[in-house]
Amino acid sequence: QQQHHHQQQHQQHHNVDKVAQARKAHMKQLEIEYIERQRKLGTQSDQAKLDRIRQEAQRQIDENADIVKLLQSCSERASTFAIRDLQLKDKAERERREKDYERTMILSMEINRLQELEAREAEDTKRMQKMINDRKVIEKQIEERAEARLLQEEA
C-alpha cells in the first residue's frame, strides 16, 4: 500500500510536472505570439510612419511645384509688364517725335506763308509805288501840255 501510495504520489508529481510543463509551453507560446503581434504592430506602425513620411514628402513636392509654378507665373508676368513698359515707352517716344515733326512742319509752313505774304506785300508796295510814279509822270505830262497850250493860246 505504501508503494502504491508512493506510486500515486510519483504519478501526481509526474502529472504536476506535466501540467507545469504544459503551462510553461503554453506561456512560451503566448509570449511568442505576443512578440509576433508586437513585431507585426511595429511593422504596421513603421509602414504607417513611412506612409506619413511619403505623404508629407509628396505634399512638399506638390507645394514646391506650386511655388515653382507661382514663381514662373510671376516671372512671366514681370516679363510681360517689362515688355509692355517698353512698348508704352516706345509708343510715347514715337508720339513725341511725331508731335515734334508736326510742330516743325507747322512752323515751317507758317514761315513760308509769312514769307510769301511779305513778298506779295513788297510786290504790292512796288506796284503801288510804280502806279504813283506813273501817275506823277502822267500828271506832269498833263501839266506840261496844259502849259504848252496856254503858251500857244497866248501866242
Side-chain angles (χ1 to χ4, degrees), residues 93-105:
E93 178 63 22
R94 194 170 52 252
E95 286 174 353
R96 188 192 60 74
R97 279 197 310 264
E98 286 172 4
K99 279 184 182 168
D100 286 351
Y101 176 76
E102 208 174 301
R103 201 175 304 117
T104 304
M105 289 309 293

